[in-house]
Amino acid sequence: MKEQRWLVVRCPSCLRCTGQRSIPRSCTLCGQPLPRETEVVSEVESAALLQRAVALANTPEELRDELAFRIGVGHEDANRDTSASATMMALRKAAQGETISAEEVQRVLRSLNVQTPPTEFMALVEHEGLVLRLGHDRWQFIE
Ligand SMILES: [Zn+2]
């Protein structure tokens, strides 16, 4: 089976990231030429992952760690990803396959020393399609 790779490429002109099969001659967003050494932010194995990776790459730095879990791309520090996965595991455990409240989320986040406010964190998880928001302070895990 031929391995297919997708690239998340950051344009040095507009600093936005796009998903590409290979580095294009010019930025597909702003049209500026892309040098050969254009930054490849990450490589992923499927178009589905690519969509997430691009969203992640275009997410402001300070929100990126929270968004990085389970994706396995777009992070330089492997430990961060591990801690994000650990956070998700702890949340799932707290939810016990059911729903989780903002209060419980906060307890889990605090125990793991995660500074993000619970509603903000869960908004990111929701954005990732991992939970369903049931009310303003309650979520259900989808898987
Ligand atoms: Zn550009």
Side-chain angles (χ1 to χ4, degrees):
M1 203 170 75
K2 191 165 173 266
E3 195 185 14
Q4 296 214 315
R5 287 251 166 217
W6 298 79
L7 308 177
V8 180
V9 176
R10 187 188 302 280
C11 168
S13 300
C14 67
L15 301 179
R16 285 176 295 180
C17 294
T18 53
Q20 310 286 350
R21 296 312 298 269
S22 60
I23 295 176
R25 282 166 175 273
S26 59
C27 173
T28 49
L29 294 173
C30 71
Q32 289 298 307
L34 294 177
R36 274 188 81 88
E37 65 273 19
T38 293
E39 181 187 0
V40 175
V41 179
S42 59
E43 289 184 21
V44 295
E45 284 161 15
S46 72
L49 284 172
L50 182 70
Q51 208 174 18
R52 287 181 168 202
V54 171
L56 177 68
N58 283 321
T59 300
E61 196 98 36
E62 62 270 22
L63 297 177
R64 214 174 277 170
D65 284 350
E66 281 75 14
L67 202 58
F69 56 81
R70 284 175 53 115
I71 297 177
V73 294
H75 56 89
E76 304 86 49
D77 183 352
N79 291 327
R80 278 196 213 158
D81 190 55
T82 307
S83 77
S85 309
T87 306
M88 281 308 292
M89 270 172 65
L91 287 172
R92 281 176 190 277
K93 203 174 162 197
Q96 293 180 325
E98 305 278 327
T99 64
I100 193 163
S101 69
E103 204 177 311
E104 287 163 326
V105 172
Q106 181 157 40
R107 200 155 51 222
V108 170
L109 293 184
R110 270 195 193 151
S111 72
L112 295 169
N113 227 354
V114 176
Q115 305 298 327
T116 315
T119 48
E120 206 175 292
F121 185 89
M122 291 310 282
L124 289 166
V125 178
E126 195 185 345
H127 179 77
E128 280 299 294
L130 303 175
V131 294
L132 205 62
R133 186 185 282 264
L134 299 179
H136 84 283
D137 68 345
R138 188 161 281 279
W139 298 265
Q140 179 165 22
F141 283 92
I142 286 167
E143 285 168 44

